[in-house]
Amino acid sequence: MTRQLLADAAEHADRAAEAADGETAERLGGVADDLRAVADESRSGPDHGWMAKRINTVREAADGADAAVREHADAAVESISEYREGVAGV
């Protein structure tokens, strides 16, 4: 489990936001900010519920978006999911 995965997810969410517009861009940008903040924290990191909420937000925001948005959104979800595999709990 490495926080670099969260930083990578933030980067992909940013790219998806840049490729999107309107509310979709805002939602994806918000997730990117959340991920970046958690990746930079010194505490233990996010729990499963926190990550699940961000994954759902990314998926919902990218639903129906163009291919560029979906590609980066999928990459963000993949990075979050990979990080999540190493988190104890659920």
Side-chain angles (χ1 to χ4, degrees):
M1 173 173 64
T2 173
R3 291 185 187 260
Q4 184 58 47
L5 290 168
L6 296 176
D8 292 346
E11 180 65 27
H12 285 295
D14 269 337
R15 289 181 183 170
E18 290 170 2
D21 50 81
E23 183 182 345
T24 299
E26 289 177 27
R27 293 179 74 193
L28 291 166
V31 170
D33 292 343
D34 290 349
L35 290 165
R36 194 172 297 101
V38 174
D40 292 340
E41 287 182 359
S42 59
R43 64 183 187 108
S44 63
D47 63 21
H48 285 280
W50 187 94
M51 288 182 280
K53 183 176 180 181
R54 274 47 184 202
I55 287 171
N56 287 335
T57 299
V58 170
R59 286 181 174 154
E60 288 174 1
D63 187 41
D66 68 23
V69 173
R70 287 192 318 272
E71 179 181 342
H72 288 295
D74 289 346
V77 167
E78 185 177 318
S79 291
I80 297 168
S81 296
E82 187 175 343
Y83 178 88
R84 192 175 180 193
E85 289 174 7
V87 175
V90 181

